[in-house]
Every structure is written in structure tokens, then in C-alpha cells.
Amino acid sequence: MTTQTVVITPSTEMSSSASIDYIASLLPTAVINHLATTAGVTRTVSTSSNGNTHTIVTTWSDDTDKETFKTLMADVSSGVISTLESEGWAISFTPLTADL
């Protein structure tokens, strides 16, 4: 199993679900479709919040699905991060998606 932790702090007060929805709106359809088909099957997600900082922990139980996600995100991650940071968000990944 592989676990990735993402910590996000939106530039304005926002719930964790609204934050995740906004980030999802920046992702290509292929990524959204892959996430939808793996949810609760080979990928589990938990979220927690501390004020306006939200922590999302994703655990992949299937290496093939994880690798598909990693491939789909290869040309996407830096653009999404750049967009969020330009809007005043803070975001960090442990490990980076490229290193999953």
C-alpha cells in the first residue's frame, strides 16, 4: 500500500469538501474518472481540518491503479499547483505524486 498526504490551505475560508471540489475542477476528466472508479475500491481517502488548513490522506491498495493515477497526473500536477499558489493557496504533498 502507498499513502500520500496532501495539506492545503485555501486563500479564503473554505471547507475541506469545497476545497477538494475546487481542486477537482482544475483536473482533466480522465483524472476525475480514474478517481471515481477507484474510490472505496483500491483507494481510500480521509480528511481532517484544523481551521482553514485541510489534510487529505489517500491510501492506494493497488499498484496498477496508483501507477495509472501517477501517469495521468504527470503533466497536470505542476500546473494545478501553480494555479493554486498564484491564487494564494498553500499546498504540499508527501510524497509528491511523481514519487508515488
Side-chain angles (χ1 to χ4, degrees), residues 3-76:
T3 300
Q4 180 182 48
T5 301
V6 180
V7 179
I8 55 175
T9 305
S11 57
T12 61
E13 191 69 31
M14 192 178 284
S15 69
S16 62
S17 60
S19 299
I20 292 168
D21 288 347
Y22 179 70
I23 292 169
S25 76
L26 302 174
L27 300 175
T29 303
V31 173
I32 297 300
N33 290 343
H34 181 66
L35 292 174
T37 61
T38 59
V41 179
T42 60
R43 181 179 61 85
T44 58
V45 178
S46 65
T47 60
S48 61
S49 297
N50 182 4
N52 199 42
T53 297
H54 312 290
T55 302
I56 301 116
V57 178
T58 303
T59 302
W60 294 91
S61 61
D62 181 89
D63 286 340
T64 301
D65 285 341
K66 176 193 70 176
E67 289 300 319
T68 299
F69 174 71
K70 183 176 161 180
T71 299
L72 289 169
M73 289 299 292
D75 296 327
V76 175

